[in-house]
Amino acid sequence: MFVTLLVILDPPGAVPIFLALTGQLERRARHRAALQAVLLALGVIVAFALVGRQILAYLHIDLPALQGAGGLLLLLVALQLLTGKSDDPAQEVTTNVALVPLGTPLLAGPGAIVATMLFVRRAHTLPGYAAIAVGIVAVMLVVYLVLRFSGVLVRVLRPSGIEVVTRIAGLLVAAIAVQLLADAIGAFVTTYLHSPH
């Protein structure tokens, strides 16, 4: 569980995006944004681990639809990063950026949600569920520490370097978004081709 989630969440890969979204902030505000993003991601993953299948079944949502929604959301963020058309980041980061897109769908995205739901489905004993819980918390702790100490890079990069990182991060987020959309479309096509009607 720990290794799977760590690979999916990819803390080092989240650093350039985190810096792009929070690089202009004061140190304390940046630390608060890191904590908020990780807590939201933890909450989302735990919620889907507990009642994810029931929520999706009740709303008649297939997993590819969740992927597609995440992809569209990330595409909007990517365009904002690439064009530099975000409003004053200091004003919005704690309410918007730390939660969306950082907390979800970047950290608690479709990949992490689906992986967690599969692990929960396979666990049938109390130690199994406990191991999953420990794995989730441990991964989130690692992610928080990586984001928390990414401030060292801010001091090294300076504002001009952060500007470059922002554009690169925008490109990466756009690529992630397109991949999510492509996977979602592929899954929909496969489902409908193999459905009896």
Side-chain angles (χ1 to χ4, degrees):
M1 181 71 191
F2 176 79
V3 173
T4 304
L5 270 188
L6 197 65
V7 170
I8 292 171
L9 293 180
D10 184 22
V15 168
I17 297 161
F18 177 71
L19 290 182
L21 295 167
T22 65
Q24 309 296 329
L25 294 178
E26 294 176 2
R27 196 161 60 104
R28 190 175 294 176
R30 197 166 52 247
H31 293 169
R32 196 183 316 123
L35 183 63
Q36 284 183 329
V38 169
L39 286 177
L40 175 70
L42 178 64
V44 170
I45 288 174
V46 168
F48 272 94
L50 295 174
V51 291
R53 285 167 64 195
Q54 291 88 331
I55 291 171
L56 294 180
Y58 177 74
L59 296 173
H60 305 291
I61 297 171
D62 292 328
L63 286 174
L66 199 64
Q67 268 185 313
L72 288 172
L73 188 60
L74 284 182
L75 204 54
L76 291 173
V77 174
L79 291 173
Q80 213 172 47
L81 289 174
L82 286 167
T83 57
K85 285 184 180 171
S86 55
D87 301 330
D88 177 19
Q91 210 173 26
E92 293 193 32
V93 72
T94 49
T95 51
N96 292 347
V97 174
L99 306 178
V100 179
L102 261 180
T104 183
L106 273 175
L107 293 178
I113 288 168
V114 171
T116 306
M117 285 167 62
L118 288 175
F119 271 103
V120 169
R121 194 185 297 179
R122 273 187 264 163
H124 299 293
T125 61
L126 195 59
Y129 292 123
I132 290 171
V134 170
I136 292 171
V137 172
V139 168
M140 287 305 169
L141 193 59
V142 171
V143 173
Y144 172 68
L145 290 173
V146 170
L147 296 183
R148 170 80 165 70
F149 292 105
S150 64
V152 176
L153 285 173
V154 174
R155 288 196 290 278
V156 173
L157 290 171
R158 312 275 183 202
S160 56
I162 288 173
E163 187 71 23
V164 173
V165 169
T166 301
R167 298 294 177 262
I168 294 169
L171 195 60
L172 292 173
V173 173
I176 294 168
V178 170
Q179 187 62 56
L180 278 174
L181 287 169
D183 289 347
I185 291 165
F188 274 126
V189 169
T190 307
T191 303
Y192 286 113
L193 280 178
H194 290 91
S195 63
H197 48 276

